[in-house]
């Protein structure tokens, strides 16, 4: 046996390290296979809903659905070769359903199958498992087979062996298999804010995955910052680290790839610890990025993390030997952040003690709730559920948008490159006021809802599909509240009243339903008014005119009677004279009472003054008696 190179020795040690760590992690947590549903609508024998595992490449239609017909190729059934070599094409004919290509597992990478299906015109690829086992996640290759990784856009899914066999049997029997791929419930969408995590790495020498990751940061940065600044999302970056098995802590491999005495490690960027940067350099930079986010978040500017990661990748690449802490400090200064706070957070990488920040990252790596362990880099987690698919701006934004409660999505989720506006076709089947162009159709990321609108502060109410009407104060200002209205000879009459929150009622002088019509009531013909002796009635639109015989008569509408103008005046002046005399008598009486009370008051005051200087006889007698009594004692 020949001796192994140092690089080969390190790869073996690294493999042992990773296997040991993964075994420990598996004992503590779990990996969750993210799924979507597949509904078979025909044939009847297969009709039902089945689970399938979302592939970690391509672009799953999170929040949406896809209809298609399943095709099992006559040749190249594992999809490992170009279908064009077999003369096969799966592009649908005009008016035909998209093709979901069913291929068998084995002989090549999953990404190769996806790419060959896409180039042949398939809209999605279904991979039938070749063994009876629980569903697994189809991941991307670590080394070879990456040449198509960034170009695959069709969604992919793994189906169980049993279901795959049933599909093949139906197709071989000549049945048309129609299916619906459904991602609407693949991610939770509980409320108006989406919480998401980005599990990443500062290493920029890991090949296609690192290149895809940095392209994503570059393209998604602006979108992420807008969503965060406007409060639509709550974002947090995370970094995976491993720990070195105790038996290897003092080995060269662990000392070069780990910090804090083997507690936090990362693989060598070049997979060769004899050259270039070490794994511990990556761990330190990861730690700096976590601490920068913590400091930025405390200052309520968490979006600065995106600026730092973007700028650091440009200014401090490994290829140019600039992947250093000094270069990192330069980027931090350019963003105006507090370096001292960040350095305090980073701590001492050489200390033989836990780093609380990295310890928290290792704990977060373990699955909790509905989220499984994070073992794939990079990984997006949306509302505590791992995203699967291509790390692409449009695909990830679609996943985030699917995490909003319906009708609460921000405008960026309703753009044409993200979703289709269903309200543009036949008004989405919702109510529409053609006169004023008011509609109950509200475009959402997941489709549309029929919901009566609010127009100029006025709420419309109804089922949203066939009927909506204005309600509440101000409703008559919009389409007259849906009520009848007519104008004649400059006089406008309406069946809508702002005093009522809903409904239409013909005004006095009219009769009808108040919605389509209100007809004039002929008060004269129907003998409702102007029935007094000598009265003459003339009907008008919405009212009537009543005249009394002779110019000396006056018609009183409230009492429907005629009275004499002269008598009216006599009675009026007599009534006024009574009032005047009454006021006069009241004044005289009041004056008499006033004079009497004033005279009584003056008399009492005079008597009091005289009593002080001219004592009465009875007062002297009582005084003399009291003197005698005192002497007797």
């Amino acid at each position: 046996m020949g001796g192994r190179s140092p690089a080969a020795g390190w790869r073996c040690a690294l493999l042992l390290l990773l296997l040991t760590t993964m075994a420990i992690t598996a004992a503590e947590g779990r990996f969750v296979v993210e799924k979507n549903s597949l509904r078979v609508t025909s044939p009847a024998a297969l009709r039902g809903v089945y689970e399938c595992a979302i592939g970690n490449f391509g672009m799953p239609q999170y929040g949406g659905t896809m209809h298609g017909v399943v095709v099992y190729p006559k040749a190249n059934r594992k999809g490992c070769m170009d279908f064009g070599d077999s003369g096969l094409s799966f592009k649908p004919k005009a008016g035909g359903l998209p093709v979901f290509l069913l291929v068998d597992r084995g002989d090549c990478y999953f990404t190769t199958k996806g790419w060959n299906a896409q180039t042949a015109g398939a809209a999605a690829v279904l991979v039938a498992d070749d063994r009876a086992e629980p569903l697994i996640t189809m991941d991307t290759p670590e080394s070879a087979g990456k040449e198509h990784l960034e170009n695959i856009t069709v969604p992919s899914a793994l189906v169980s062996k049993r279901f795959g066999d049933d599909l093949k049997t139906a197709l071989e029997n000549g049945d048309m298999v129609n299916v619906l791929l459904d991602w609407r419930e693949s991610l939770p969408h509980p409320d108006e804010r989406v919480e998401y995590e980005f599990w990443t790495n500062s290493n920029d020498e890991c090949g296609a995955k690192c290149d895809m990751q940095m392209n994503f940061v570059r393209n998604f940065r602006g979108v992420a910052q807008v969503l965060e600044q406007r409060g639509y999302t709550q974002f947090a970056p995370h970094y995976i680290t491993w720990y070195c098995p105790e038996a290897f802590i003092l080995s060269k491999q662990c000392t070069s790839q780990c910090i804090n005495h083997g507690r936090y490690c990362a693989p060598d960027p070049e997979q060769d610890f004899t050259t270039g940067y070490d794994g511990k350099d990556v761990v330190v930079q990861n730690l700096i990025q976590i601490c920068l986010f913590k400091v930025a978040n405390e200052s309520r500017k968490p979006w600065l993390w995106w600026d730092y990661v973007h700028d650091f990748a440009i200014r401090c690449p490994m290829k140019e030997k600039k992947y250093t802490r000094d270069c990192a400090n330069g980027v931090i200064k350019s963003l105006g952040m507090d370096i001292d706070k960040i350095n305090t957070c980073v701590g001492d990488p050489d200390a033989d003690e836990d780093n609380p920040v990295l310890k928290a990252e290792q704990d977060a790596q373990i699955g909790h709730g509905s989220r499984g362990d994070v073992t794939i880099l990079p990984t997006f987690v949306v509302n505590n559920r791992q995203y699967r698919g291509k790390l692409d701006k449009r695909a990830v934004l679609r996943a985030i948008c699917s995490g909003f409660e319906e009708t609460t999505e921000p405008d960026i989720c309703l753009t044409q490159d993200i979703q289709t506006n269903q309200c543009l076709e036949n008004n989405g089947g919702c109510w529409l006021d053609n006169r004023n162009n008011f509609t109950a159709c509200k475009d959402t990321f997941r489709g549309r809802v029929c919901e009566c609108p609010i127009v100029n502060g006025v709420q419309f109410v109804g089922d949203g599909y066939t009927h909506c009407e204005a309600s509440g104060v101000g409703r008559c200002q919009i389409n007259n509240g849906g009520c009848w209205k007519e104008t004649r000879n400059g006089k406008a009459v309406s069946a809508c009243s702002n005093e009522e929150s809903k409904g239409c009622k013909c005004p006095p002088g009219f009769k009808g339903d108040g919605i389509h019509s209100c007809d004039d009531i002929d008060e004269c013909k129907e003998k409702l008014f102007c029935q007094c002796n000598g009265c003459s009635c003339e009907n008008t639109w919405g009212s009537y005119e009543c005249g009394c015989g002779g110019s000396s008569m006056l018609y009183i509408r409230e009492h429907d009677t005629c009275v004499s103008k002269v008598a009216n005046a006599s009675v009026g002046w007599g009534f006024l004279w009574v009032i005047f005399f009454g006021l006069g008598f009241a004044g005289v009486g009041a004056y008499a009472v006033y004079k009497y009370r004033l005279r009584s008051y003056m008399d009492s005051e005079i008597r009091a003054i005289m009593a002080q200087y001219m004592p009465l006889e009875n007062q002297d007698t009582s005084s003399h008696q009291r003197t005698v009594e005192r002497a007797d004692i």
Side-chain angles (χ1 to χ4, degrees):
M1 294 278 301
R4 291 181 301 180
S5 66
W10 160 237
R11 291 190 184 97
C12 290
L14 176 60
L15 180 60
L16 177 62
L17 166 64
L18 294 179
L19 289 175
T20 304
T21 306
M22 289 174 66
I24 296 172
T25 300
E28 297 177 350
R30 72 200 192 286
F31 180 84
V32 174
V33 176
E34 304 298 342
K35 303 172 184 177
N36 66 293
S37 65
L38 186 153
R39 179 185 295 273
V40 178
T41 56
S42 69
L46 284 179
R47 190 174 297 157
V49 179
Y50 304 84
E51 283 188 337
C52 47
I54 305 173
N56 200 31
F57 54 90
M59 298 174 65
Q61 300 299 301
Y62 281 105
T65 60
M66 286 181 66
H67 287 88
V69 58
V70 178
V71 172
Y72 187 48
K74 297 179 180 179
N76 190 24
R77 291 188 163 179
K78 291 188 176 179
C80 294
M81 305 297 291
D82 190 331
F83 286 99
D85 296 342
S86 304
L88 297 176
S89 174
F90 306 106
K91 295 179 181 179
K93 296 180 181 180
L97 287 172
V99 171
F100 296 165
L101 189 64
L102 177 66
V103 297
D104 295 324
R105 179 181 176 183
D107 292 354
C108 60
Y109 292 111
F110 292 120
T111 51
T112 302
K113 300 175 189 290
W115 175 250
N116 289 333
Q118 177 176 305
T119 55
V125 57
L126 304 177
V127 179
D129 206 344
D130 59 354
R131 64 204 73 175
E133 64 177 359
L135 292 173
I136 64 169
T137 296
M138 298 185 295
D139 198 9
T140 56
E142 290 296 331
S143 53
K146 292 183 177 181
E147 58 272 15
H148 309 305
L149 185 59
E150 292 194 39
N151 298 318
I152 301 175
T153 57
V154 297
S156 61
L158 180 79
V159 300
S160 67
K161 183 179 186 301
R162 180 178 179 179
F163 180 50
D165 290 342
D166 290 342
L167 289 174
K168 296 172 194 175
T169 300
L171 292 168
E172 289 171 356
N173 291 336
D175 292 328
M176 183 176 182
V177 180
N178 289 322
V179 301
L180 172 72
L181 285 173
D182 191 343
W183 294 270
R184 287 176 295 183
E185 300 302 324
S186 295
L187 292 175
H189 45 99
D191 51 39
E192 70 280 0
R193 189 180 72 171
V194 170
E195 298 175 2
Y196 72 97
E197 304 168 1
F198 183 26
W199 288 81
T200 181
N201 199 309
S202 62
N203 178 9
D204 63 8
E205 284 293 305
C206 58
K209 277 196 173 183
C210 285
D211 295 339
M212 182 175 66
Q213 178 175 275
M214 288 317 304
N215 287 335
F216 169 75
V217 170
R218 185 180 304 111
N219 296 329
F220 192 70
R221 176 177 60 147
V223 173
Q225 290 177 326
V226 170
L227 289 173
E228 195 77 10
Q229 289 169 2
R230 296 183 181 179
Y232 293 123
T233 60
Q234 183 175 337
F235 162 74
H238 290 286
Y239 296 79
I240 291 180
T241 61
W242 296 271
Y243 63 87
C244 185
E246 189 173 354
F248 294 90
I249 287 179
L250 299 179
S251 67
K252 184 176 181 181
Q253 290 88 346
C254 281
T255 55
S256 63
Q257 311 310 313
C258 308
I259 66 173
N260 294 98
H261 286 247
R263 289 177 173 84
Y264 315 105
C265 312
D268 188 277
E270 299 87 7
Q271 298 185 9
D272 185 349
F273 65 87
T274 62
T275 60
Y277 290 97
D278 296 324
K280 66 180 182 181
D281 298 318
V282 176
V283 178
V284 170
Q285 180 53 219
N286 290 347
L287 179 56
I288 291 174
Q289 294 188 5
I290 301 171
C291 288
L292 181 138
F293 174 78
K294 288 176 66 67
V295 172
N297 197 37
E298 289 171 358
S299 63
R300 299 184 179 182
K301 295 181 179 180
W303 50 84
L304 289 177
W305 179 89
W306 292 93
D307 290 330
Y308 175 82
V309 172
H310 173 267
D311 294 352
F312 180 82
I314 295 175
R315 296 172 57 180
C316 311
M318 289 182 175
K319 291 180 180 179
E320 298 179 11
K321 308 300 180 184
K322 295 180 179 179
Y323 189 88
T324 64
R325 194 158 182 175
D326 288 340
C327 188
N329 288 341
V331 178
I332 294 171
K333 288 180 180 179
S334 69
L335 295 175
M337 300 193 65
D338 192 328
I339 293 180
D340 292 336
K341 283 188 177 181
I342 295 173
N343 289 336
T344 300
C345 172
V346 170
D348 183 6
D350 296 324
D352 186 8
E353 60 185 13
D354 286 338
N355 182 296
V357 176
L358 291 177
K359 181 65 169 60
E361 291 296 293
Q362 287 184 341
D363 293 340
Q365 186 178 336
I366 306 300
H368 55 87
S370 60
R371 199 212 77 190
D373 298 347
V374 178
T375 59
I376 300 173
L377 275 179
T379 288
F380 242 82
V381 179
V382 180
N383 287 343
N384 206 37
R385 192 78 61 81
Q386 291 190 36
Y387 162 86
R388 294 286 183 255
K390 181 180 179 182
L391 196 63
D392 171 84
K393 172 187 174 180
R394 183 170 176 267
V396 171
L397 179 58
R398 184 180 183 91
I400 290 176
C401 289
S402 73
F404 289 99
E405 183 181 11
E406 194 164 18
T407 74
T408 67
E409 310 95 334
D411 291 341
I412 195 172
C413 293
L414 305 179
T415 54
Q416 292 184 358
D417 59 335
I418 298 298
Q419 58 91 47
T420 301
N421 189 344
Q422 295 184 9
C423 294
L424 298 179
E425 183 176 349
N426 196 31
N427 199 49
C430 303
W431 170 85
L432 173 67
D433 182 345
N434 288 302
R435 182 190 301 177
N436 297 292
N437 198 29
F438 299 154
T439 176
C441 189
K442 185 174 183 179
D443 183 34
T444 69
F445 176 77
R446 295 173 177 273
R448 65 94 177 94
V449 294
C450 294
E451 188 177 85
C452 292
I454 298 176
V455 180
N456 297 332
V458 178
Q459 174 69 63
F460 281 70
V461 296
D463 62 10
Y465 293 92
T466 60
H467 175 70
C468 286
E469 65 177 24
S471 176
V473 177
R475 68 189 184 98
C476 298
Q477 306 304 317
I478 299 177
N479 197 24
N480 199 49
C483 302
W484 170 87
K485 182 179 181 180
E486 189 174 337
T487 301
R488 289 187 186 180
N489 300 323
K491 178 182 179 182
V493 180
S494 170
C496 183
S497 172
N498 281 321
E499 296 179 358
E500 302 290 338
S501 62
K502 61 180 181 179
C504 303
K505 182 179 180 181
C506 291
F510 294 88
K511 61 182 178 179
D513 61 9
I515 299 175
H516 302 99
S517 66
C518 285
D519 298 323
D520 173 54
I521 298 174
D522 191 336
E523 292 87 355
C524 300
K525 184 177 182 180
E526 297 185 16
K527 298 182 179 182
L528 299 177
F529 300 101
C530 200
Q531 299 301 304
C532 49
N533 293 328
C535 295
S536 59
C537 185
E538 180 183 354
N539 186 60
T540 62
W541 187 60
S543 186
Y544 65 94
E545 294 291 341
C546 187
C548 299
S551 59
S552 62
M553 301 298 289
L554 179 67
Y555 177 70
I556 306 299
R557 181 180 289 266
E558 291 78 7
H559 301 287
D560 192 31
T561 186
C562 288
V563 296
S564 172
K565 295 181 182 179
V566 176
N568 244 7
S570 175
V571 171
W573 279 109
F575 181 71
L576 289 175
W577 279 113
V578 169
I579 293 176
F580 291 150
F581 282 121
L583 291 174
F585 283 123
V588 171
Y591 179 74
V593 171
Y594 167 73
K595 292 292 289 182
Y596 173 75
R597 294 189 64 183
L598 179 62
R599 179 64 179 270
S600 298
Y601 173 76
M602 293 296 294
D603 288 346
S604 63
E605 286 295 318
I606 292 172
R607 288 176 63 84
I609 294 172
M610 292 178 66
Q612 293 179 9
Y613 299 99
M614 299 174 63
L616 298 178
E617 182 177 351
N618 60 346
Q619 290 177 331
D620 294 339
T621 305
S622 61
S623 177
H624 174 72
Q625 185 177 357
R626 285 196 298 270
T627 304
V628 171
E629 289 175 354
R630 285 198 296 269
D632 292 342
I633 293 173

